[in-house]
Amino acid sequence: MAPRILIYDDDEDILDICAAILRNKGFTVSCKKDCRQLIDDIESFEPSVILMDNWLPDIGGVKAIQQIKNTEHLKNIPVIFFSANSHVEDLGKEAGADYVLPKPFDLNELETMVSVAASRFADNSLT
């Protein structure tokens, strides 16, 4: 089964580009523009990796990641925090993200990071 990637970003162009690139690489992708149903979204889609933007309506990326990482049955899902914020590394650390990807990013870098995170998730699922 193809790894499942859940992307949160309020910018439709970013969602479209990321989804197209990742689907082209064989991933199953779902996109969300807000975190209103965060836990429900994750539980129903069962992602291998979550891509989380910083600027999101409602709670925002940092709080959303903290919520994921504080939920026992979801905390091991790798989360990639991506943002154009100049403090993306610090925000990612504060959030508890597993990976940080500054925007704008190279599409190959996106593919590589998602692939690494998905394989790490698969390895953890086997143990």
Side-chain angles (χ1 to χ4, degrees), residues 43-97:
E43 288 175 344
S44 63
F45 187 67
E46 298 180 352
S48 308
V49 178
I50 298 168
L51 273 151
M52 182 70 69
D53 182 39
N54 183 40
W55 298 108
L56 286 166
D58 305 312
I59 64 173
V62 171
K63 284 193 171 35
I65 294 170
Q66 289 170 342
Q67 194 173 340
I68 294 164
K69 294 302 181 180
N70 288 323
T71 302
E72 189 61 34
H73 65 286
L74 304 177
K75 69 180 184 182
N76 293 323
I77 300 170
V79 178
I80 300 170
F81 181 69
F82 66 140
S83 175
N85 187 298
S86 59
H87 301 289
V88 65
E89 293 285 340
D90 294 334
L91 289 170
K93 194 176 290 184
E94 177 188 336

